[in-house]
Amino acid sequence: MTDLISFPGLGLEFEVNRVAFSLGSMEIYWYAVIIATGFMLAMIFAFKNAKRFGIDGDRIVDVIFFAMVLGIIGARAYYVAFQWDMYKDNLMEIFNIRGGGLGFYGGIIGGVIGLVIGCRLRGQKILPFLDLAGGAVLIGQGIGRWGNFVNSEAFGSNTTLPWGMTSPKIVSYIERHSDEVMGAVMDPNIPVHPTFLYESLWCALGLLVFCYVMKKRKFDGEMFLFYLGWNGFGRMLIEGLRTDSLMIGPFRISQLLGAVMFVFAVCAYFYAMKLIKSGKAPEWLSVFAETEKGKLVAEGKWDYKNGCEKTSGEKAETEEEKA
């Protein structure tokens, strides 16, 4: 379970044990701890910025629950669909998530579906919630990639750059797989690109830009488009270095989807701005948080049942429930 991860060009070495701690006979991996940390920080971001998007903070957890459950299902289904040969003879293995195998884009698709369902059931505006989710996912995604570092996985092709990394597990992986499978001519004796680090830094930079732009956004859905475009562009480049990509023929699926996401986000943004500047934009193409209803929802003063502001008695009752 222990691996020695080194960065020869920087003179750095890290002895990493995949197991963080044990609960009785159950081993808890660092990967799970890192993912959980990313999720918690993403939730903190969501709670702190809910009002900015006209979202009722008391209903965030309900919506996130649907997004999380369907996100995990989607991520697993995506991976299994493109690695069907691994599971077709042992269908029960599909449910063994602890054995690894989650597809990022499947998680995004499932998460969005879950978020839409949650918003519908809890009376929340979908586009503002998608905007808020964009920033939260950047946090979870950026932190979660360090789980790949602990596992010595999701690395790239050979590189002579100073920050190239290697480990016995990486060397073993390269020796066990053909160049055709990895999509590049690989030498196990040469360090590889730490693509987990590239994506983590890309997400961190994206979060900084996200926090700046969200204060100046012109319409609901703009920040989600920003996430799609930023993530798509980054994945389109970084995925080209990966050696463990899901493939469809000679093409890396994530790289293709990244390009589609980027093009879609750019086109949708400029089309929305064109509508706004022409004065023909539909009502939903605005900033809900700036409307009277949006302000009431954000403050927890909206009566969802009757579709109006809560009465004084209802407000007092709500405050007592919170206390």
Side-chain angles (χ1 to χ4, degrees), residues 168-318:
K169 186 176 179 181
I170 291 175
V171 170
S172 175
Y173 180 91
I174 295 174
E175 290 176 341
R176 288 184 290 107
H177 293 80
S178 67
D179 293 339
E180 182 179 357
V181 170
M182 292 185 288
V185 177
M186 298 290 291
D187 185 338
N189 300 309
I190 299 177
V192 298
H193 283 286
T195 49
F196 81 91
L197 177 61
Y198 298 164
E199 187 166 339
S200 183
L201 293 176
W202 183 251
C203 287
L205 178 59
L207 181 64
L208 294 177
V209 179
F210 183 99
C211 290
Y212 174 78
V213 175
M214 74 177 180
K215 301 173 184 177
K216 303 175 180 294
R217 68 188 189 281
K218 300 294 190 298
F219 59 92
D220 287 337
E222 180 178 349
M223 300 316 302
F224 185 63
L225 288 177
F226 169 81
Y227 169 75
L228 291 180
W230 186 271
N231 180 72
F233 185 76
R235 297 276 291 193
M236 182 175 61
L237 299 180
I238 297 171
E239 197 69 25
L241 298 173
R242 291 273 293 270
T243 55
D244 60 346
S245 301
L246 296 176
M247 307 290 288
I248 180 167
F251 302 105
R252 291 178 169 86
I253 299 170
S254 290
Q255 198 169 24
L256 289 175
L257 289 177
V260 171
M261 282 172 55
F262 175 70
V263 172
F264 169 78
V266 171
C267 292
Y269 172 79
F270 282 109
Y271 179 69
M273 289 302 297
K274 180 180 178 181
L275 289 177
I276 292 173
K277 291 179 180 179
S278 68
K280 299 178 181 179
E283 184 180 351
W284 55 265
L285 200 60
S286 59
V287 180
F288 176 66
E290 296 178 356
T291 66
E292 187 61 32
K293 179 181 176 180
K295 294 174 183 177
L296 292 172
V297 169
E299 294 295 334
K301 299 177 181 179
W302 184 255
D303 184 342
Y304 293 95
K305 183 177 180 180
N306 298 309
C308 61
E309 183 179 3
K310 289 181 178 178
T311 62
S312 299
E314 290 172 324
K315 293 177 185 178
E317 186 177 333
T318 301

Side-chain angles (χ1 to χ4, degrees), residues 1-5 14-19 29 150-152 167-169:
M1 288 293 186
T2 301
D3 197 20
L4 183 64
I5 303 174
F14 303 91
E15 187 172 347
V16 179
N17 190 330
R18 290 181 63 194
V19 179
Y29 296 111
V150 173
N151 288 352
S152 292
S167 76
K169 186 176 179 181

